[in-house]
Amino acid sequence: MPLDSSIPAHLRCPRTRHRRVSDSWKPPYPAFSAKVDPTVEQLVMAYFGVQSKGEATHGKACAAFQKIRDSLQLADGPARHDIVQFVDAEGFLNLIVVAYWQDPKAHQNWNNSPEVAGWWASDDRLNEGVGYFREILSPRMEQFETIFTHDYGPFEGVSILFGNMSEPIFEHGYWGSMRDRLPVSQNDTMEPSGKLTVTQGQPQAGGRVIISGHQNLTLIRSGEDWSRTQGEERRTWYEDIEPVLHQGMNFLRDDGLEVGCYVNRYCHHIDENGKPLEKGFGVSLWNSLAHLEHWGESHPTHLQIFVTFMRNVNKFKDLTLYHEVSVFDASNQYFEYINCHPKTGLLRAV
Amino acid sequence: MPLDSSIPAHLRCPRTRHRRVSDSWKPPYPAFSAKVDPTVEQLVMAYFGVQSKGEATHGKACAAFQKIRDSLQLADGPARHDIVQFVDAEGFLNLIVVAYWQDPKAHQNWNNSPEVAGWWASDDRLNEGVGYFREILSPRMEQFETIFTHDYGPFEGVSILFGNMSEPIFEHGYWGSMRDRLPVSQNDTMEPSGKLTVTQGQPQAGGRVIISGHQNLTLIRSGEDWSRTQGEERRTWYEDIEPVLHQGMNFLRDDGLEVGCYVNRYCHHIDENGKPLEKGFGVSLWNSLAHLEHWGESHPTHLQIFVTFMRNVNKFKDLTLYHEVSVFDASNQYFEYINCHPKTGLLRAV
């Protein structure tokens, strides 16, 4: 059977740019992309966070986080969301809701509602002993791609909303395939332009800081679910893969700026009661897709992840991996930090 | 200063295919290409080998090898040559002359001279208790590229003949740059077509076997010179790099066919008296440039070489690395094996 293209049929168009590999390319193993309905034109992916440090403020953080979670239930709230946590390099606990909409209008209605807009705008948020942030990004479907190791569920990320998976895809198994999966790559190099700009506040001073992004800023959420692994596969995950992945995630967290990574969070899913689940993801923002490519292809921290994985690839059956990658128009990005320490999110990068 | 292109000015032409990276690409460290005179249109690279096993035949092998070396001195002989040795997986010693011409006409005159043509054609070669082979390949300059870590000599391979080195080049430091350095990549994917064909003899039977190649068969000679390294750099070469490189070379030697590598020889230079020098190279023939790319980019044996090198890159100052890569028209390849064991060269691949 011929391979499917990761680029959905309705987004294929005459090309001025070719894929990296020739048409005779045969991927060495199958992979899949989430298949979106043609009626979906743009997504909204919002990362809402509560930041705190120490036992004493944990209760406050949980209460604040619950406020955010409650707001998801309001009219036009997200179609789905994940709850995750991440302890950053400064030792702060970051509780994060990752919320997704397939309808930007619905997000706009929700985001502009007095309950949501008013709550975030209130000066009360400056005086609750915890930090807050929201990072809201809206890729057009031409600017979005996914890859999955399995074509059965449960899927992850925004793809759960799509409800369908492609046949085995052509564009994977080679460096550059991430770019080739993005429909916009048919005619665009996705070069970055502009730069991160503080539009309100002072990152070093705390308080409320709003940052505007730039053309073709790039996000990757790259995740793994080891909940179904057993025996040798499970041992390999815990002893051989995860420690190396962790090192790579820490490099990006601490030294990512030198390779064009603005921020990286190595998150673990938690359930409604805060209990860790056996799945997680790294989510990072980059100056450009090219920077993300270059790190992935050449930096020892990532290559070691890749080599370790490739060495063990035959052991994997139930470990599921996926990623979602987006590039964004400058106008489709919003970053706000309230009472956060100056190494939070994009604050460290401006 | 703007970067130089690895593609010589006289071979640049309007493109139908773009480089993998955008024009804003900045290599993380400098590298250089040998700069050829525009009057050179085609090279000839010839690998002449003598194969033997065991102490008892060593004298015979040396005498036979001397005959080949003597023939280089005939009129229109090669402009330069290297002498190397390689012990193959079957335990045979292969003494090899690598000879280069910048003028195919001169090679033709030499090769067709009675002394050379007659010697190779003689049935005496079948009865001397050693094996012989010659692999003669002639890339057009559009089909040839080099990369060097240093812009000072002594250079290696055919590039010594060119006598000049480029300024720091644009096309390196990313997967795909090898392809982008080949002038023909401006308008051609270099897809292979046809297949290796035995045109005379039977590989399993020994005796004389002639094999014809196919369109876009690919050769890489990838070398290293550690003779000037000292102290920690020298220790790193011997203890951290060479063992990993050796493993990768052995993989290609033994199991290369599964990744599209017909033959790999990990050769060490020797001087006029057979004494090993502190430099060597792997030379391999591939079904296509794409197969070579794919192995380099994804196979654990090569990635481990690459990761180990990148981890130690700051330690290197005097270790010099280079490669020369060619793709060939089907008509510009000639492979002949006389009395060689059936795993020699392309014999193992047909």
Side-chain angles (χ1 to χ4, degrees):
Chain A
M1 203 174 73
L3 293 163
D4 207 353
S5 172
S6 173
I7 299 178
H10 68 286
L11 296 179
R12 291 172 207 160
C13 63
R15 287 176 173 272
T16 56
R17 297 186 62 79
H18 53 78
R19 293 187 292 214
R20 187 181 162 214
V21 293
S22 70
D23 294 344
S24 65
W25 168 249
K26 301 238 181 339
Y29 47 89
F32 310 88
S33 288
K35 204 165 182 174
V36 71
D37 190 278
T39 59
V40 177
E41 295 182 354
Q42 190 168 16
L43 303 172
V44 179
M45 28 185 77
Y47 291 75
F48 301 112
V50 173
Q51 187 178 76
S52 65
K53 192 172 193 175
E55 285 293 314
T57 53
H58 192 61
K60 275 186 194 172
C62 289
F65 195 54
Q66 190 58 47
K67 286 277 187 194
I68 291 174
R69 289 175 58 194
D70 289 346
S71 75
L72 307 180
Q73 307 308 320
L74 295 169
D76 289 318
R80 75 170 307 268
H81 71 274
D82 292 314
I83 310 174
V84 301
Q85 64 181 24
F86 158 65
V87 177
D88 64 28
E90 284 65 37
F92 285 76
L93 174 69
N94 295 265
L95 297 166
I96 303 174
V97 163
V98 190
Y100 293 104
W101 285 258
Q102 287 192 94
D103 177 359
K105 284 253 160 52
H107 169 261
Q108 199 175 10
N109 292 340
W110 178 85
N111 199 49
N112 292 343
S113 69
E115 297 94 324
V116 173
W119 187 83
W120 281 95
S122 168
D123 283 347
D124 293 347
R125 301 293 83 70
L126 293 163
N127 302 299
E128 295 177 323
V130 298
Y132 293 96
F133 60 86
R134 51 178 174 166
E135 299 168 346
I136 305 170
L137 300 129
S138 307
R140 294 179 281 111
M141 290 314 299
E142 291 86 347
Q143 299 170 313
F144 179 78
E145 67 88 10
T146 61
I147 185 169
F148 289 80
T149 50
H150 294 68
D151 62 349
Y152 53 83
F155 307 137
E156 289 293 342
V158 67
S159 305
I160 297 182
L161 295 177
F162 298 176
N164 282 300
M165 201 56 93
S166 71
E167 297 299 315
I169 57 171
F170 176 94
E171 301 93 345
H172 83 98
Y174 60 92
W175 301 113
S177 59
M178 172 171 68
R179 179 179 291 267
D180 289 350
R181 287 190 296 270
L182 285 161
V184 69
S185 72
Q186 295 171 101
N187 292 293
D188 191 332
T189 61
M190 293 168 272
E191 283 287 278
S193 62
K195 60 186 177 69
L196 299 180
T197 310
V198 177
T199 55
Q200 182 186 323
Q202 296 180 334
Q204 297 302 320
R208 189 183 299 265
V209 182
I210 297 174
I211 292 172
S212 64
H214 60 73
Q215 191 64 22
N216 288 325
L217 181 141
T218 299
L219 177 147
I220 180 169
R221 168 179 165 168
S222 179
E224 47 280 328
D225 182 334
W226 60 96
S227 64
R228 286 178 296 282
T229 60
Q230 295 188 309
E232 173 64 7
E233 184 177 8
R234 195 170 178 81
R235 190 203 63 74
T236 302
W237 164 255
Y238 275 109
E239 294 180 22
D240 299 334
I241 304 288
E242 202 283 335
V244 178
L245 172 63
H246 210 136
Q247 276 181 14
M249 293 290 102
N250 284 356
F251 168 79
L252 288 181
R253 181 193 69 185
D254 298 337
D255 301 306
L257 285 174
E258 67 190 53
V259 294
C261 176
Y262 294 140
V263 53
N264 183 55
R265 302 183 179 111
Y266 185 35
C267 299
H268 282 77
H269 292 256
I270 51 177
D271 72 8
E272 300 289 315
N273 303 312
K275 184 171 154 260
L277 303 175
E278 292 192 322
K279 57 184 185 174
F281 58 81
V283 56
S284 50
L285 294 172
W286 295 77
N287 177 253
S288 71
L289 186 72
H291 283 91
L292 171 55
E293 287 176 321
H294 186 60
W295 177 72
E297 298 176 18
S298 70
H299 203 276
T301 54
H302 182 264
L303 282 181
Q304 197 59 59
I305 299 171
F306 185 77
V307 172
T308 306
F309 180 76
M310 291 299 275
R311 280 239 179 74
N312 290 285
V313 72
N314 292 327
K315 293 185 187 170
F316 294 125
K317 186 171 60 79
D318 292 322
L319 179 69
T320 61
L321 306 174
Y322 71 96
H323 82 209
E324 56 186 47
V325 168
S326 313
V327 295
F328 306 96
D329 296 329
S331 58
N332 292 328
Q333 305 166 40
Y334 181 83
F335 305 99
E336 181 173 359
Y337 304 89
I338 306 169
N339 262 355
C340 290
H341 69 71
K343 295 208 164 171
T344 306
L346 294 188
L347 294 180
R348 72 196 281 270
V350 287
Chain B
M1 202 174 76
L3 293 164
D4 208 354
S5 174
S6 174
I7 299 178
H10 67 285
L11 296 179
R12 291 171 206 160
C13 63
R15 286 175 174 273
T16 55
R17 298 186 62 79
H18 53 79
R19 294 188 292 215
R20 188 182 160 211
V21 294
S22 70
D23 294 344
S24 65
W25 167 248
K26 300 235 182 341
Y29 48 88
F32 310 87
S33 290
K35 205 166 181 173
V36 72
D37 190 277
T39 60
V40 178
E41 294 181 355
Q42 190 168 16
L43 303 173
V44 179
M45 29 186 78
Y47 291 75
F48 300 114
V50 173
Q51 187 178 76
S52 65
K53 192 172 191 175
E55 285 293 315
T57 53
H58 191 61
K60 276 187 194 171
C62 289
F65 195 54
Q66 189 58 45
K67 286 276 186 196
I68 291 174
R69 289 175 57 194
D70 290 345
S71 74
L72 306 180
Q73 308 307 321
L74 296 170
D76 289 320
R80 75 170 306 269
H81 71 272
D82 293 314
I83 311 175
V84 301
Q85 63 181 24
F86 158 64
V87 177
D88 64 28
E90 285 65 37
F92 284 76
L93 173 69
N94 295 265
L95 297 167
I96 303 174
V97 164
V98 190
Y100 293 103
W101 286 258
Q102 287 192 95
D103 177 0
K105 284 252 160 50
H107 170 260
Q108 200 177 7
N109 292 341
W110 179 84
N111 199 48
N112 292 342
S113 70
E115 297 94 325
V116 174
W119 188 83
W120 281 94
S122 168
D123 283 346
D124 294 346
R125 300 294 85 70
L126 294 162
N127 302 299
E128 295 178 324
V130 299
Y132 293 97
F133 60 85
R134 50 178 175 168
E135 298 169 346
I136 306 169
L137 300 129
S138 307
R140 293 179 282 111
M141 291 313 300
E142 292 86 344
Q143 298 169 313
F144 178 77
E145 67 87 12
T146 61
I147 186 168
F148 289 80
T149 50
H150 294 68
D151 62 350
Y152 53 84
F155 307 137
E156 291 292 343
V158 67
S159 306
I160 297 182
L161 295 177
F162 298 175
N164 283 300
M165 202 55 95
S166 72
E167 298 298 315
I169 57 171
F170 176 94
E171 300 93 347
H172 83 98
Y174 60 93
W175 301 115
S177 58
M178 171 171 70
R179 178 179 291 268
D180 289 350
R181 288 189 296 270
L182 285 161
V184 69
S185 72
Q186 295 170 102
N187 292 293
D188 191 333
T189 60
M190 294 169 270
E191 284 286 280
S193 61
K195 60 187 178 65
L196 299 180
T197 311
V198 177
T199 55
Q200 181 185 325
Q202 295 180 332
Q204 296 303 319
R208 189 183 298 266
V209 182
I210 298 174
I211 293 171
S212 64
H214 60 73
Q215 190 64 22
N216 288 324
L217 181 141
T218 300
L219 177 146
I220 181 169
R221 168 179 167 169
S222 179
E224 47 280 328
D225 181 335
W226 60 96
S227 63
R228 287 179 295 282
T229 60
Q230 295 189 309
E232 172 64 7
E233 184 177 9
R234 195 170 177 81
R235 191 204 61 75
T236 302
W237 163 256
Y238 275 109
E239 294 179 23
D240 299 335
I241 304 289
E242 202 282 335
V244 179
L245 173 62
H246 209 136
Q247 277 182 13
M249 293 289 102
N250 284 355
F251 168 79
L252 287 182
R253 181 194 68 186
D254 299 335
D255 300 307
L257 286 175
E258 68 190 53
V259 294
C261 176
Y262 293 141
V263 52
N264 183 55
R265 301 184 179 111
Y266 184 36
C267 299
H268 282 76
H269 291 256
I270 52 177
D271 72 9
E272 300 289 316
N273 303 312
K275 185 169 154 258
L277 303 175
E278 292 192 322
K279 56 184 185 175
F281 57 82
V283 56
S284 49
L285 295 172
W286 295 77
N287 176 254
S288 71
L289 187 71
H291 283 91
L292 171 56
E293 288 176 319
H294 186 60
W295 177 71
E297 299 176 15
S298 70
H299 202 276
T301 55
H302 183 265
L303 282 181
Q304 196 59 58
I305 298 170
F306 185 79
V307 172
T308 306
F309 181 77
M310 292 299 276
R311 280 241 179 71
N312 290 287
V313 73
N314 293 327
K315 293 185 186 170
F316 294 123
K317 185 170 62 75
D318 293 320
L319 179 69
T320 61
L321 307 174
Y322 70 98
H323 81 209
E324 56 186 47
V325 168
S326 312
V327 295
F328 306 96
D329 296 330
S331 58
N332 291 328
Q333 306 167 41
Y334 181 83
F335 305 98
E336 181 174 359
Y337 303 89
I338 306 169
N339 262 357
C340 291
H341 69 72
K343 294 207 165 171
T344 306
L346 294 189
L347 294 181
R348 71 197 281 270
V350 287

